[in-house]
Amino acid sequence: MIQSDLVSCVQQGLKKLHQVDVEQIELQPTRKEFDGDITVVVFPMLRHVKTNPVTLGNELGAYVLEHMDEVSGFNVIKGFLNLELTDQYYIDVLSKISGEEKYGIQQSYGSKEAVMVEYSSPNTNKPLHLGHIRNNLLGYAVAEIIKASGKNVYKTQIINDRGIHICKSMLAWKKFGNGETPQSTGMKGDHFVGKYYVKFDKEYKTEIQAMIADGIAEDEAKKKAPLLLEAQQMLLKWEAGEQETVALWKKMNGWVYGGFEETYKNLGVDFDSYYYESDTYLLGKDIIEEGLAKGVFFKKEDNSVWCDLTAEGLDEKLVLRSDGTAVYMTQDLGTAVQRVKDHPDINGMVYTVGNEQDYHFKVLFLILKKLGYSWADHLHHLSYGMVDLPSGKMKSREGTVVDADDLIKEMERTAEKISSELGKLDGYTLRQKQELYHVIGLGALKYYILKVDPKKTILFNPEESVDFQGNTGPFIQYTYARIQSILRKAKEQNIIQSTGQLDELHVKERDVIKQLEVFPDAVQQAAEQHSPAIIANYTYELVKSFNSFYQNVPILGTASPEESSFRVLLANKTAQVIKEALAMLGIEVPERM
């Protein structure tokens, strides 16, 4: 990258012209309305040099022009020095890019630093829904981006497989299921179990209404409804290890896991390890003892254990109940430490969890730091907002949830409808069409969600997401397929890809190479900020630049073979970067559309 050379040259210029040492030199891309490629911000230098910004800009511009072969000219607008780079510089950039098989992607082989990314983490009493889709897509994309930045990555989830909500599904199936199974009903396992979670809620509400009709207060009825009391008894039996209850728990969880795996496969996400709350809920008590010994925690008169965080602007946090049982914080402390024991190379963790848990993770990370764990400085809560459909919010208990499997199918149908209207699938077999609808539909869903800053709430519109124009997944996929068509024709014409003897570039060629040049920086920035949106929007800008190039400059029918060779190479490298960028987002690219 030329930036470091430019910084050195400007520093040398300041030293020679004004005898000052300036450590920080600010560079930025030149704004589109001005001539130039890289802009040096002159204003901050005026603290060291007593002159006006235009004079200093012109002095530095002349110095850089004289001392750097890559600079062909400059102009000064107020306090901004806009430098123009030579065509040869950009030709050399493309030549360098073409020599790298995985341009912009850092290999993690030999890296001693690993990051664990947690995502999905569902309950085993219902199928995955739209909120889980955003969670999975964010977590998977961040894991792939961190991996591309050169670190080892472990993808994991903690499955919430115990508790009263699990017992509600179990009890409802035991009472009302008549022995039916996912196999006997033809239902997906997670949908089957979710049906009984909804059934429990319906029967529970019926009991409450009957109790209210008998004169019992509503609050009392909610606490003493026979079905709820029975579910609470079932939880006690599970915790006591009662054989029949544990066997039912294992059977119904097995149904759910089979359904989850099918959804994950359809969604295109995967995991390296699984943690289960039934294993981890006992973890952390030894850490509480350790914290008490260190003075990080304190006991109250009732024997409950707390952490005082008031000095940090938070409150006192319960970490162990008075009867010695764990709370979620106990468990999360223990699980974090256990993960580092399981993977000693972990030097950071990313928790993909909704923004309603912001405070919880602020407290968790702070307590781990107080306990003295060095890796606690590298913990990140990938907090995200809700996803809603135009039809409104979702409620799992009432069965009004937007199911993940249904949404994937809906995206495929939407892709089929719009693709058929465009009429570009002549010659495709039925199977090829179905595969394409899946790739386009999922690509639309993933891109629509990932292009938005995670913290923002999304109103997801399936029709809008499958638009073949604008900042959408299908628009980017279509550009990739268009390039593949160009490359096939170039091969038929025996055009050899090369930077050749070309010494002059069209402005549209320069624009595309500029975008390609910053891809490695975009990957590193996205990894540091845990933001797939940076990769998504980078890819859109690259695609816009390429389409402008495609519409203004002939690629195959050029005046000289050298131009065709260069432009086909440029198209090829653009396609490769599009493919690599979308792969980080979990999006496939079709060879034809």
Side-chain angles (χ1 to χ4, degrees):
M1 296 287 282
I2 196 172
Q3 280 81 354
S4 58
D5 291 340
L6 270 174
V7 167
S8 296
C9 190
V10 170
Q11 288 171 331
Q12 289 163 14
L14 287 165
K15 180 78 170 175
K16 184 163 186 179
L17 296 169
H18 294 281
Q19 294 74 53
V20 294
D21 293 308
V22 179
E23 283 189 23
Q24 296 294 324
I25 303 295
E26 185 182 345
L27 304 180
Q28 56 187 229
T30 302
R31 288 164 58 178
K32 289 182 179 177
E33 61 265 35
F34 302 127
D35 291 332
D37 301 294
I38 299 177
T39 294
V40 181
V41 183
V42 176
F43 288 114
M45 303 173 193
L46 299 178
R47 291 197 296 268
H48 307 275
V49 180
K50 302 303 177 188
T51 184
N52 68 68
V54 174
T55 300
L56 183 57
N58 279 303
E59 288 176 350
L60 290 173
Y63 184 87
V64 171
L65 184 60
E66 182 183 349
H67 289 85
M68 288 190 69
D69 293 339
E70 299 92 338
V71 177
S72 61
F74 71 91
N75 63 83
V76 179
I77 308 291
K78 296 183 179 176
F80 298 95
L81 167 59
N82 303 318
L83 300 170
E84 298 166 35
L85 302 181
T86 63
D87 284 347
Q88 189 58 50
Y89 168 76
Y90 284 111
I91 292 168
D92 291 343
V93 167
L94 183 61
S95 181
K96 181 176 179 294
I97 290 171
S98 68
E100 296 186 32
E101 187 180 344
K102 288 272 189 180
Y103 172 66
I105 309 298
Q106 298 293 318
Q107 298 301 321
S108 61
Y109 307 122
S111 173
K112 294 180 181 177
E113 197 172 321
V115 177
M116 179 168 274
V117 181
E118 174 192 295
Y119 54 97
S120 196
S121 303
N123 296 323
T124 58
N125 63 324
K126 55 192 175 185
L128 302 175
H129 55 63
L130 180 55
H132 288 116
I133 282 186
R134 188 175 197 186
N135 182 301
N136 274 271
L137 298 186
L138 277 171
Y140 178 86
V142 165
E144 290 298 312
I145 290 166
I146 293 173
K147 193 187 297 181
S149 76
K151 294 179 181 176
N152 290 315
V153 173
Y154 300 110
K155 303 172 188 170
T156 194
Q157 60 170 310
I158 182 161
I159 298 171
N160 303 305
D161 62 344
R162 64 174 285 275
I164 189 68
H165 50 295
I166 308 299
C167 289
K168 287 176 180 178
S169 294
M170 290 163 58
L171 181 62
W173 181 79
K174 190 175 180 180
K175 292 179 79 71
F176 310 114
N178 298 315
E180 69 173 9
T181 66
Q183 291 75 22
S184 69
T185 59
M187 285 183 77
K188 221 168 140 270
D190 50 338
H191 289 243
F192 180 83
V193 173
K195 178 178 81 169
Y196 284 97
Y197 184 58
V198 174
K199 176 70 172 172
F200 178 95
D201 189 64
K202 183 179 177 183
E203 297 295 332
Y204 171 58
K205 285 177 176 172
T206 300
E207 286 185 349
I208 290 169
Q209 292 306 315
M211 293 169 75
I212 291 171
D214 288 340
I216 298 172
E218 184 177 353
D219 287 348
E220 192 72 10
K222 285 180 179 179
K223 292 176 187 173
K224 294 189 175 178
L227 206 57
L228 178 64
L229 295 177
E230 209 172 336
Q232 290 169 342
Q233 280 299 117
M234 182 176 271
L235 179 59
L236 291 173
K237 288 179 183 177
W238 180 88
E239 289 180 345
E242 197 267 332
Q243 193 172 354
E244 183 185 341
T245 303
V246 171
L248 175 60
W249 170 77
K250 286 181 178 178
K251 177 163 66 176
M252 293 187 71
N253 275 349
W255 292 338
V256 173
Y257 297 147
F260 284 171
E261 286 306 314
E262 192 178 325
T263 304
Y264 292 143
K265 186 177 178 183
N266 280 334
L267 197 56
V269 301
D270 57 14
F271 302 90
D272 300 308
S273 65
Y274 297 81
Y275 288 81
Y276 298 88
E277 192 177 325
S278 54
D279 296 327
T280 64
Y281 83 107
L282 298 175
L283 293 175
K285 292 188 180 182
D286 55 338
I287 294 169
I288 304 304
E289 291 301 318
E290 175 193 324
L292 280 167
K294 287 181 176 179
V296 174
F297 304 136
F298 69 94
K299 277 189 179 180
K300 290 194 174 180
E301 289 180 5
D302 65 354
N303 236 24
S304 60
V305 182
W306 296 73
C307 186
D308 186 357
L309 303 173
T310 53
E312 287 83 5
L314 305 177
D315 57 7
E316 292 184 346
K317 183 66 181 177
L318 176 69
V319 293
L320 201 67
R321 293 190 185 98
S322 56
D323 61 2
T325 56
V327 292
Y328 270 113
M329 187 58 67
T330 329
Q331 178 180 320
D332 283 353
L333 289 166
T335 303
V337 173
Q338 185 62 46
R339 284 170 170 171
V340 178
K341 287 179 182 174
D342 294 342
H343 305 277
D345 55 339
I346 288 177
N347 190 39
M349 293 185 225
V350 178
Y351 294 81
T352 312
V353 183
N355 56 16
E356 69 277 5
Q357 294 294 328
D358 284 354
Y359 186 79
H360 174 84
F361 283 101
K362 191 180 289 186
V363 171
L364 173 65
F365 298 166
L366 185 53
I367 293 176
L368 286 166
K369 285 180 186 178
K370 282 179 170 287
L371 289 167
Y373 295 107
S374 59
W375 42 263
D377 289 324
H378 305 288
L379 301 177
H380 179 77
H381 175 205
L382 181 54
S383 173
Y384 62 91
M386 297 298 293
V387 185
D388 294 323
L389 290 168
S391 55
K393 293 188 176 181
M394 307 175 290
K395 294 180 182 175
S396 302
R397 289 189 306 276
E398 297 172 12
T400 59
V401 86
V402 181
D403 180 79
D405 298 311
D406 291 343
L407 183 59
I408 291 170
K409 287 174 186 169
E410 173 65 23
M411 293 305 301
E412 290 172 355
R413 284 193 292 268
T414 304
E416 177 180 4
K417 175 176 174 286
I418 294 175
S419 297
S420 300
E421 288 170 359
L422 292 171
K424 296 183 183 238
L425 300 180
D426 294 341
Y428 279 62
T429 65
L430 179 60
R431 182 173 179 178
Q432 286 173 329
K433 287 180 180 179
Q434 288 172 339
E435 287 173 354
L436 185 62
Y437 300 148
H438 180 74
V439 168
I440 294 173
L442 264 188
L445 170 66
K446 292 179 178 184
Y447 189 85
Y448 196 95
I449 286 175
L450 293 174
K451 73 178 180 179
V452 178
D453 183 283
K455 291 182 175 62
K456 293 182 179 176
T457 297
I458 296 176
L459 184 65
F460 179 68
N461 185 323
E463 289 272 348
E464 191 178 292
S465 73
V466 188
D467 194 340
F468 280 78
Q469 298 295 324
N471 191 6
T472 67
F475 174 65
I476 294 170
Q477 288 173 320
Y478 184 72
T479 300
Y480 177 86
R482 168 183 277 167
I483 296 173
Q484 296 312 302
S485 175
I486 293 168
L487 296 177
R488 285 191 292 270
K489 289 175 184 174
K491 190 174 181 181
E492 289 168 7
Q493 296 174 27
N494 295 316
I495 295 174
I496 306 297
Q497 298 178 31
S498 167
T499 53
Q501 304 302 310
L502 211 64
D503 53 18
E504 189 176 343
L505 293 181
H506 191 284
V507 65
K508 297 297 182 182
E509 291 172 312
R510 287 171 63 104
D511 288 344
V512 178
I513 298 171
K514 277 188 197 179
Q515 279 298 121
L516 292 175
E517 187 182 19
V518 298
F519 179 53
D521 281 349
V523 173
Q524 295 299 322
Q525 186 185 356
E528 288 166 13
Q529 297 183 24
H530 304 95
S531 176
I534 290 172
I535 295 297
N537 290 293
Y538 162 82
T539 311
Y540 177 55
E541 292 301 319
L542 174 62
V543 163
K544 280 201 301 182
S545 291
F546 180 83
N547 282 322
S548 181
F549 158 67
Y550 173 80
Q551 289 157 10
N552 287 279
V553 182
I555 297 177
L556 301 178
T558 62
S560 71
E562 288 80 12
E563 283 183 341
S564 287
S565 293
F566 184 88
R567 289 170 186 174
V568 172
L569 175 64
L570 180 56
N572 189 16
K573 288 300 155 183
T574 301
Q576 287 181 16
V577 168
I578 292 171
K579 187 174 184 177
E580 292 289 352
L582 289 186
M584 287 181 225
L585 306 180
I587 299 174
E588 294 181 66
V589 284
E591 297 298 307
R592 296 190 300 153
M593 272 176 81

PDB file of all heavy atoms in Angstrom, residues 201-215:
ATOM      1  N   ASP A 201     -49.254 -23.535  26.732  1.00  0.00           N
ATOM      2  CA  ASP A 201     -49.694 -22.167  27.006  1.00  0.00           C
ATOM      3  C   ASP A 201     -51.211 -22.047  26.862  1.00  0.00           C
ATOM      4  O   ASP A 201     -51.876 -21.393  27.680  1.00  0.00           O
ATOM      5  CB  ASP A 201     -48.987 -21.193  26.059  1.00  0.00           C
ATOM      6  CG  ASP A 201     -49.241 -19.741  26.435  1.00  0.00           C
ATOM      7  OD1 ASP A 201     -48.812 -19.344  27.538  1.00  0.00           O
ATOM      8  OD2 ASP A 201     -49.860 -19.017  25.646  1.00  0.00           O
ATOM      9  N   LYS A 202     -51.744 -22.706  25.856  1.00  0.00           N
ATOM     10  CA  LYS A 202     -53.193 -22.648  25.621  1.00  0.00           C
ATOM     11  C   LYS A 202     -53.956 -23.293  26.787  1.00  0.00           C
ATOM     12  O   LYS A 202     -54.940 -22.732  27.302  1.00  0.00           O
ATOM     13  CB  LYS A 202     -53.521 -23.360  24.304  1.00  0.00           C
ATOM     14  CG  LYS A 202     -54.975 -23.298  23.906  1.00  0.00           C
ATOM     15  CD  LYS A 202     -55.202 -24.010  22.574  1.00  0.00           C
ATOM     16  CE  LYS A 202     -56.688 -24.002  22.209  1.00  0.00           C
ATOM     17  NZ  LYS A 202     -56.930 -24.752  20.939  1.00  0.00           N
ATOM     18  N   GLU A 203     -53.508 -24.488  27.196  1.00  0.00           N
ATOM     19  CA  GLU A 203     -54.189 -25.201  28.294  1.00  0.00           C
ATOM     20  C   GLU A 203     -54.006 -24.471  29.626  1.00  0.00           C
ATOM     21  O   GLU A 203     -54.920 -24.424  30.457  1.00  0.00           O
ATOM     22  CB  GLU A 203     -53.639 -26.631  28.399  1.00  0.00           C
ATOM     23  CG  GLU A 203     -53.896 -27.503  27.176  1.00  0.00           C
ATOM     24  CD  GLU A 203     -55.380 -27.772  26.954  1.00  0.00           C
ATOM     25  OE1 GLU A 203     -56.135 -27.773  27.954  1.00  0.00           O
ATOM     26  OE2 GLU A 203     -55.781 -27.961  25.796  1.00  0.00           O
ATOM     27  N   TYR A 204     -52.830 -23.902  29.825  1.00  0.00           N
ATOM     28  CA  TYR A 204     -52.527 -23.138  31.046  1.00  0.00           C
ATOM     29  C   TYR A 204     -53.478 -21.939  31.161  1.00  0.00           C
ATOM     30  O   TYR A 204     -54.049 -21.671  32.229  1.00  0.00           O
ATOM     31  CB  TYR A 204     -51.066 -22.705  30.989  1.00  0.00           C
ATOM     32  CG  TYR A 204     -50.609 -21.728  32.053  1.00  0.00           C
ATOM     33  CD1 TYR A 204     -50.710 -22.031  33.408  1.00  0.00           C
ATOM     34  CD2 TYR A 204     -50.036 -20.503  31.690  1.00  0.00           C
ATOM     35  CE1 TYR A 204     -50.269 -21.138  34.382  1.00  0.00           C
ATOM     36  CE2 TYR A 204     -49.588 -19.599  32.651  1.00  0.00           C
ATOM     37  CZ  TYR A 204     -49.708 -19.919  33.996  1.00  0.00           C
ATOM     38  OH  TYR A 204     -49.265 -19.041  34.955  1.00  0.00           O
ATOM     39  N   LYS A 205     -53.673 -21.234  30.048  1.00  0.00           N
ATOM     40  CA  LYS A 205     -54.569 -20.066  30.066  1.00  0.00           C
ATOM     41  C   LYS A 205     -56.019 -20.479  30.311  1.00  0.00           C
ATOM     42  O   LYS A 205     -56.779 -19.762  30.973  1.00  0.00           O
ATOM     43  CB  LYS A 205     -54.446 -19.298  28.749  1.00  0.00           C
ATOM     44  CG  LYS A 205     -53.159 -18.482  28.656  1.00  0.00           C
ATOM     45  CD  LYS A 205     -53.029 -17.787  27.312  1.00  0.00           C
ATOM     46  CE  LYS A 205     -51.775 -16.910  27.294  1.00  0.00           C
ATOM     47  NZ  LYS A 205     -51.509 -16.357  25.951  1.00  0.00           N
ATOM     48  N   THR A 206     -56.396 -21.643  29.784  1.00  0.00           N
ATOM     49  CA  THR A 206     -57.752 -22.158  30.022  1.00  0.00           C
ATOM     50  C   THR A 206     -57.963 -22.434  31.510  1.00  0.00           C
ATOM     51  O   THR A 206     -59.013 -22.106  32.084  1.00  0.00           O
ATOM     52  CB  THR A 206     -57.982 -23.455  29.208  1.00  0.00           C
ATOM     53  OG1 THR A 206     -57.818 -23.171  27.824  1.00  0.00           O
ATOM     54  CG2 THR A 206     -59.378 -24.014  29.448  1.00  0.00           C
ATOM     55  N   GLU A 207     -56.941 -23.027  32.150  1.00  0.00           N
ATOM     56  CA  GLU A 207     -57.029 -23.286  33.590  1.00  0.00           C
ATOM     57  C   GLU A 207     -57.152 -21.984  34.377  1.00  0.00           C
ATOM     58  O   GLU A 207     -57.936 -21.890  35.324  1.00  0.00           O
ATOM     59  CB  GLU A 207     -55.788 -24.057  34.064  1.00  0.00           C
ATOM     60  CG  GLU A 207     -55.767 -25.522  33.648  1.00  0.00           C
ATOM     61  CD  GLU A 207     -54.584 -26.272  34.246  1.00  0.00           C
ATOM     62  OE1 GLU A 207     -53.673 -25.625  34.810  1.00  0.00           O
ATOM     63  OE2 GLU A 207     -54.593 -27.511  34.165  1.00  0.00           O
ATOM     64  N   ILE A 208     -56.371 -20.979  33.989  1.00  0.00           N
ATOM     65  CA  ILE A 208     -56.398 -19.686  34.693  1.00  0.00           C
ATOM     66  C   ILE A 208     -57.792 -19.072  34.602  1.00  0.00           C
ATOM     67  O   ILE A 208     -58.349 -18.591  35.611  1.00  0.00           O
ATOM     68  CB  ILE A 208     -55.344 -18.727  34.110  1.00  0.00           C
ATOM     69  CG1 ILE A 208     -53.938 -19.215  34.475  1.00  0.00           C
ATOM     70  CG2 ILE A 208     -55.545 -17.307  34.628  1.00  0.00           C
ATOM     71  CD1 ILE A 208     -52.837 -18.485  33.740  1.00  0.00           C
ATOM     72  N   GLN A 209     -58.377 -19.100  33.405  1.00  0.00           N
ATOM     73  CA  GLN A 209     -59.720 -18.521  33.228  1.00  0.00           C
ATOM     74  C   GLN A 209     -60.755 -19.245  34.080  1.00  0.00           C
ATOM     75  O   GLN A 209     -61.649 -18.625  34.666  1.00  0.00           O
ATOM     76  CB  GLN A 209     -60.118 -18.570  31.740  1.00  0.00           C
ATOM     77  CG  GLN A 209     -59.305 -17.657  30.839  1.00  0.00           C
ATOM     78  CD  GLN A 209     -59.299 -16.206  31.312  1.00  0.00           C
ATOM     79  OE1 GLN A 209     -60.338 -15.638  31.688  1.00  0.00           O
ATOM     80  NE2 GLN A 209     -58.110 -15.600  31.335  1.00  0.00           N
ATOM     81  N   ALA A 210     -60.626 -20.581  34.163  1.00  0.00           N
ATOM     82  CA  ALA A 210     -61.561 -21.360  34.981  1.00  0.00           C
ATOM     83  C   ALA A 210     -61.408 -21.013  36.461  1.00  0.00           C
ATOM     84  O   ALA A 210     -62.406 -20.903  37.200  1.00  0.00           O
ATOM     85  CB  ALA A 210     -61.311 -22.853  34.761  1.00  0.00           C
ATOM     86  N   MET A 211     -60.163 -20.811  36.916  1.00  0.00           N
ATOM     87  CA  MET A 211     -59.910 -20.466  38.320  1.00  0.00           C
ATOM     88  C   MET A 211     -60.441 -19.066  38.644  1.00  0.00           C
ATOM     89  O   MET A 211     -60.999 -18.823  39.726  1.00  0.00           O
ATOM     90  CB  MET A 211     -58.418 -20.562  38.631  1.00  0.00           C
ATOM     91  CG  MET A 211     -57.893 -21.999  38.575  1.00  0.00           C
ATOM     92  SD  MET A 211     -56.084 -22.115  38.629  1.00  0.00           S
ATOM     93  CE  MET A 211     -55.774 -21.755  40.372  1.00  0.00           C
ATOM     94  N   ILE A 212     -60.279 -18.138  37.690  1.00  0.00           N
ATOM     95  CA  ILE A 212     -60.791 -16.771  37.882  1.00  0.00           C
ATOM     96  C   ILE A 212     -62.313 -16.806  37.982  1.00  0.00           C
ATOM     97  O   ILE A 212     -62.922 -16.115  38.811  1.00  0.00           O
ATOM     98  CB  ILE A 212     -60.330 -15.853  36.727  1.00  0.00           C
ATOM     99  CG1 ILE A 212     -58.814 -15.616  36.816  1.00  0.00           C
ATOM    100  CG2 ILE A 212     -61.069 -14.515  36.763  1.00  0.00           C
ATOM    101  CD1 ILE A 212     -58.223 -14.901  35.614  1.00  0.00           C
ATOM    102  N   ALA A 213     -62.940 -17.678  37.145  1.00  0.00           N
ATOM    103  CA  ALA A 213     -64.398 -17.815  37.173  1.00  0.00           C
ATOM    104  C   ALA A 213     -64.879 -18.365  38.525  1.00  0.00           C
ATOM    105  O   ALA A 213     -66.012 -18.100  38.957  1.00  0.00           O
ATOM    106  CB  ALA A 213     -64.854 -18.733  36.036  1.00  0.00           C
ATOM    107  N   ASP A 214     -63.992 -19.131  39.182  1.00  0.00           N
ATOM    108  CA  ASP A 214     -64.333 -19.677  40.507  1.00  0.00           C
ATOM    109  C   ASP A 214     -64.018 -18.698  41.632  1.00  0.00           C
ATOM    110  O   ASP A 214     -64.092 -19.052  42.819  1.00  0.00           O
ATOM    111  CB  ASP A 214     -63.550 -20.982  40.761  1.00  0.00           C
ATOM    112  CG  ASP A 214     -64.079 -22.129  39.904  1.00  0.00           C
ATOM    113  OD1 ASP A 214     -65.223 -22.029  39.429  1.00  0.00           O
ATOM    114  OD2 ASP A 214     -63.335 -23.109  39.702  1.00  0.00           O
ATOM    115  N   GLY A 215     -63.600 -17.463  41.252  1.00  0.00           N
ATOM    116  CA  GLY A 215     -63.388 -16.428  42.253  1.00  0.00           C
ATOM    117  C   GLY A 215     -61.962 -16.280  42.735  1.00  0.00           C
ATOM    118  O   GLY A 215     -61.708 -15.543  43.702  1.00  0.00           O
TER     119      GLY A 215
END
